[in-house]
Amino acid sequence: MSKEETKNKLIEEFGVHFESEYDLPPLAARIFANLVITEEEGLTFEDCINKRGASKSSISTSLNLLLQMDFVKYFTKSGDRKRYFKVAEKNTFFIKKLNRSLKKLERESEMLRKITAYNEQYRPEKHEENKTKITVYGSCIANMTKDLKTTIAELKRQQQQD
């Protein structure tokens, strides 16, 4: 398989992943994947049109969505009126992704706490029946939360050093 074929396959795989992971529309996911994979300093609007083969309005809508979500940013080059799009700062992107995961875990932990308290008070037999499973699951959530917080702190430290 040629480099270009491998690259296109990887862009498609990443696109599918970004669609499901971030609830992105297919075109926005593919543009983002292109920006992750590109060896260029950034892609212009025209580059995105050429690489994706979509209409100007579709590309524009997708790029605006990615900008609003802080997945990408743009820059200009001196003497060039074009905007160049690239993935937002890597550490910032990863920190935001991990923070989203952390918030999900914190909501899950809170719901687990409420369900446990309800069952303990109003359905003691159900509480006893599920006590071991809930303890193991709660421990898993706590460990994942701790790991995410540690990783986020480390990424922030690295970001400050850069």
Side-chain angles (χ1 to χ4, degrees):
M1 191 179 302
S2 73
K3 179 181 177 181
E4 199 60 32
E5 289 171 328
T6 303
K7 185 178 179 179
N8 287 335
K9 185 177 181 202
L10 190 56
I11 288 168
E12 185 59 28
E13 273 185 62
F14 275 7
V16 170
H17 171 73
F18 295 143
E19 273 184 67
S20 64
E21 183 72 19
Y22 303 109
D23 295 321
L24 288 174
L27 181 58
R30 295 330 179 271
I31 291 171
F32 185 61
N34 256 114
L35 292 169
V36 169
I37 301 293
T38 191
E39 296 157 0
E40 299 167 47
E41 187 180 340
L43 298 178
T44 64
F45 182 78
E46 290 77 18
D47 292 335
C48 292
I49 290 171
N50 293 335
K51 289 181 185 295
R52 299 310 327 148
S55 70
K56 288 181 179 181
S57 66
S58 296
I59 296 290
S60 178
T61 299
S62 295
L63 283 170
N64 284 327
L65 174 65
L66 292 169
L67 285 165
Q68 288 171 355
M69 295 177 77
D70 291 326
F71 279 30
V72 301
K73 66 179 190 175
Y74 73 87
F75 63 97
T76 57
K77 295 180 181 179
S78 182
D80 188 350
R81 293 180 27 189
K82 294 180 182 177
R83 293 194 309 171
Y84 291 81
F85 297 90
K86 68 178 190 174
V87 175
E89 297 303 316
K90 301 280 192 267
N91 282 345
T92 302
F93 176 78
F94 291 139
I95 289 169
K96 287 177 185 177
K97 178 176 175 32
L98 293 174
N99 272 321
R100 280 192 297 271
S101 296
L102 181 59
K103 288 194 183 336
K104 284 182 183 179
L105 281 175
E106 288 171 342
R107 285 191 305 267
E108 180 79 6
S109 181
E110 180 61 17
M111 293 310 301
L112 186 62
R113 187 193 63 73
K114 287 179 179 182
I115 290 167
T116 301
Y118 178 84
N119 282 344
E120 190 173 21
Q121 184 173 358
Y122 298 109
R123 298 170 53 192
E125 69 290 340
K126 191 72 164 174
H127 174 71
E128 284 303 316
E129 179 184 320
N130 291 326
K131 195 173 190 176
T132 304
K133 290 179 217 166
I134 295 295
T135 301
V136 170
Y137 185 62
S139 177
C140 176
I141 290 173
N143 289 334
M144 290 168 59
T145 298
K146 180 179 166 235
D147 287 345
L148 282 171
K149 287 179 178 180
T150 300
T151 304
I152 291 166
E154 179 60 28
L155 286 172
K156 285 181 178 179
R157 272 193 296 279
Q158 286 179 7
Q159 187 179 37
Q160 289 171 347
Q161 290 173 357
D162 291 344

